[in-house]
Amino acid sequence: MLDRTATAWLRRLLTWLELFEDGFARQSQRGALRRYVTGLLSDSRRKSMEAMWARLSDPGTYQAFQHFITHAPWEAEAIWTRLREVVPDRTGVLILDGTSFPKQGPASVGVARQYCGARGKIANCQTAVNVALWTGTRAWRLGATLYLPEAWLTSRQRSRAKIPAAVAFAPKWQLALTLLRQVRAAGFAVTAVVGDAEFGDNATLRRTLHRARLPYALGVSSDVTVFLGTPVLEAPPPPIGKGRPRTRRRLPLGTQTVEARAWAAAQTPRAWRLVSWRNGANPAWRARFCAVRVTPAHDWREYRLAPEVWLLCERDLGPTPRIKYYLVDLPVTAPQRALVQLAHQRWAIEQQYQELKDEIGLDHFEGRSLPGWQRHVVLIAIAYSFLQHERGRRGQTQLTLPQVRAVIQEVLTAHFFMTHPGYLEWMLKLKDVQLRIWWSRPQSAVRNARTSSPSSNRTCGFPAYGFPRCSPCKP
């Protein structure tokens, strides 16, 4: 059962926000923090600044509300650091992910013609790299960085979007590694790393995870090349004539690489095993899988062999089966079900993005500066972490954002009428007027309104909000 005590909810929200007040030097900033997070959790469909400000019961001035995001002297990175300190769950799988925000014009910081996951094609969008900790029951956002194409790092664009001089170009895989180091430095015990092909195709990222001894399950493209098993290198040939003898070992003659899609196509139907898995409390999923131990061939360009890993191929059960490919770093004795279970831990961040985008407004920011985007995103992480913290309370596991918004809106409504008693008087008078209009109409119209659609309330004198849709009892 949802705890419907609105004052208790408000008290817990304020207690949660107090954990971050050290990052805001001024009292006005702390008040703006409470207003902004409350706006993110409100029932506003759009989470742009103007829309959220309009829904608050004590909003202050819009200029102050906007100034808090665009110009106030506080650092988003310091708030991320504090958030990583107060997250209660400290162990789990780290999910690397890139998310895109479609945009119409060229003015938003970082926008460019690039692959847009939300559209499934090249489009005008922003792209951010995110990391989240998945504990098996809850996901926590631990960091996010906006990817800036090189075209945005010119002097003109830096000045327009307020991009600091210290920000240099970095590919997405490098941004992901930076976030990974920050998470580990904060004291989290990362049991494994998962991500899609945007990160799995990069050999440097995989090599870094091997050096850190972090198991992983990363998606890869279908054309990734591998050696089946681990090639046994031969000693270099004896020197001929004068000169320094060769010391670099070489592959045996006839050793060939194979693409992941070619190996999967060569497998017989009996090689594909039907495996089921479950994401959280959702119904079980099923697909067919086959796996083999391989050595990624990319590192051999530098005459060194990468560690041996699993190549996992997944074929769905649809009428036109699609095949996905993963490189999974688990022991050679790991069962296929364990490979499948780890590879599908990314489901947690897909569910998280649905809530973040649809309910809290991750992609609703309309500002054009980098500091504004960074601040909006970290405050969304604070709001989402409050929700996850509430889900950790007994009996609140299935808590949804609409339920949270309903309770918070109850608080905001009560606060509004307490601070504006004249509005309550006005509404009571208006209700009395509406009742008189209702009963002054011909009885045939009243009977028709009772049996018609709810929208007919408007034609009978009732507004579209705040009043019952059925006809009131005549005194």
Side-chain angles (χ1 to χ4, degrees):
M1 287 283 299
L2 175 65
D3 181 8
R4 298 294 298 183
T5 306
T7 54
W9 272 77
L10 182 60
R11 185 165 53 250
R12 291 197 296 270
L13 175 59
L14 295 178
T15 301
W16 174 255
L17 295 180
E18 285 174 0
L19 299 174
F20 305 94
E21 289 187 349
D22 289 344
F24 303 93
R26 301 177 182 176
Q27 188 64 32
S28 60
Q29 294 177 4
R30 296 170 183 174
L33 165 67
R34 292 190 288 270
R35 294 187 188 98
Y36 201 90
V37 173
T38 304
L40 292 173
L41 294 172
S42 72
D43 61 351
S44 173
R45 290 187 178 181
R46 287 287 300 177
K47 296 304 190 296
S48 60
M49 283 187 280
E50 187 173 0
M52 290 191 296
W53 177 79
R55 301 298 295 171
L56 297 175
S57 60
D58 184 22
T61 66
Y62 177 70
Q63 288 76 10
F65 192 73
Q66 186 182 48
H67 176 81
F68 173 66
I69 295 296
T70 57
H71 293 89
W74 61 278
E75 295 296 329
E77 190 53 46
I79 306 303
W80 276 118
T81 301
R82 180 58 178 157
L83 179 60
R84 289 191 282 264
E85 291 174 355
V86 301
V87 166
D89 296 324
R90 311 301 294 181
T91 303
V93 175
L94 194 71
I95 305 174
L96 311 179
D97 193 74
T99 184
S100 55
F101 313 106
K103 296 293 180 180
Q104 296 297 326
S108 299
V109 58
V111 72
R113 293 280 299 174
Q114 54 190 326
Y115 179 77
C116 178
R119 299 280 175 83
K121 61 180 182 179
I122 301 296
N124 201 55
C125 67
Q126 293 172 312
T127 302
V129 177
N130 306 267
V131 294
L133 186 77
W134 171 241
T135 66
T137 55
R138 292 183 290 178
W140 300 90
R141 282 175 58 80
L142 300 181
T145 304
L146 184 66
Y147 169 71
L148 295 173
E150 292 183 89
W152 275 91
L153 300 178
T154 62
S155 300
R156 178 175 174 273
Q157 294 285 46
R158 284 181 184 273
S159 175
R160 188 162 69 97
K162 300 179 182 177
I163 301 173
V167 176
F169 173 76
K172 296 172 188 177
W173 65 266
Q174 191 172 337
L175 297 176
L177 286 180
T178 300
L179 293 172
L180 169 62
R181 295 187 185 101
Q182 292 174 352
V183 169
R184 299 189 75 195
F188 290 92
V190 178
T191 58
V193 177
V194 297
D196 58 16
E198 189 172 24
F199 305 102
D201 283 340
N202 188 271
T204 304
L205 185 143
R206 298 197 307 266
R207 194 181 308 127
T208 303
L209 296 180
H210 279 293
R211 289 173 180 170
R213 297 184 178 181
L214 287 174
Y216 63 77
L218 300 172
V220 292
S221 300
S222 61
D223 58 354
V224 66
T225 56
V226 296
F227 298 106
L228 297 180
T230 301
V232 179
L233 300 181
E234 295 180 342
I240 300 175
K242 297 181 180 181
R244 188 169 54 186
R246 300 178 181 178
T247 58
R248 183 177 294 160
R249 307 185 75 181
R250 63 180 185 177
L251 290 171
L253 292 176
T255 302
Q256 294 182 348
T257 62
V258 61
E259 290 186 348
R261 59 188 171 192
W263 181 83
Q267 303 309 300
T268 63
R270 293 176 61 89
W272 295 86
R273 289 182 51 195
L274 185 64
V275 180
S276 62
W277 73 95
R278 189 181 300 276
N279 293 326
N282 289 334
W285 291 76
R286 296 194 307 164
R288 294 192 178 276
F289 295 85
C290 59
V292 63
R293 296 289 288 182
V294 299
T295 300
H298 186 276
D299 283 15
W300 186 246
R301 297 177 183 179
E302 300 175 5
Y303 295 98
R304 61 185 176 192
L305 287 177
E308 187 179 273
V309 295
W310 287 99
L311 171 63
L312 178 67
C313 304
E314 173 189 349
R315 187 175 67 190
D316 62 39
L317 302 180
T320 56
R322 295 178 301 171
I323 301 180
K324 299 179 182 178
Y325 306 89
Y326 308 87
L327 290 180
V328 184
D329 180 26
L330 285 179
V332 65
T333 56
Q336 194 174 97
R337 186 175 296 275
L339 309 182
V340 173
Q341 194 65 42
L342 179 59
H344 282 275
Q345 297 297 304
R346 282 194 67 251
W347 162 86
I349 206 165
E350 294 173 3
Q351 182 194 41
Q352 185 185 73
Y353 280 142
Q354 184 177 357
E355 290 186 323
L356 289 170
K357 288 186 175 182
D358 298 344
E359 306 288 352
I360 309 184
L362 178 63
D363 57 347
H364 293 180
F365 182 67
E366 297 176 353
R368 297 180 177 181
S369 69
L370 179 61
W373 184 92
Q374 292 171 330
R375 293 172 178 186
H376 175 75
V377 170
V378 73
L379 294 178
I380 279 183
I382 290 176
Y384 187 78
S385 296
F386 169 72
L387 173 65
Q388 297 295 66
H389 197 271
E390 286 296 304
R391 283 172 173 163
R393 294 169 56 83
R394 188 168 65 178
Q396 306 292 321
T397 308
Q398 302 301 323
L399 185 64
T400 64
L401 274 166
Q403 291 173 314
V404 174
R405 284 203 303 268
V407 176
I408 290 181
Q409 200 60 35
E410 181 182 340
V411 176
L412 295 178
T413 304
H415 181 268
F416 178 82
F417 283 117
M418 289 175 63
T419 56
H420 300 80
Y423 276 88
L424 182 58
E425 269 183 49
W426 177 80
M427 289 194 68
L428 290 174
K429 292 179 180 178
L430 177 63
K431 183 178 179 181
D432 183 58
V433 171
Q434 299 290 351
L435 289 173
R436 293 183 182 183
I437 294 175
W438 174 274
W439 292 111
S440 66
R441 293 178 64 82
Q443 287 302 304
S444 59
V446 174
R447 287 193 298 271
N448 292 338
R450 288 174 177 173
T451 58
S452 61
S453 63
S455 62
S456 64
N457 288 348
R458 302 189 194 125
T459 63
C460 295
F462 283 91
Y465 58 89
F467 294 101
R469 289 178 172 176
C470 59
S471 59
C473 297
K474 186 176 181 180

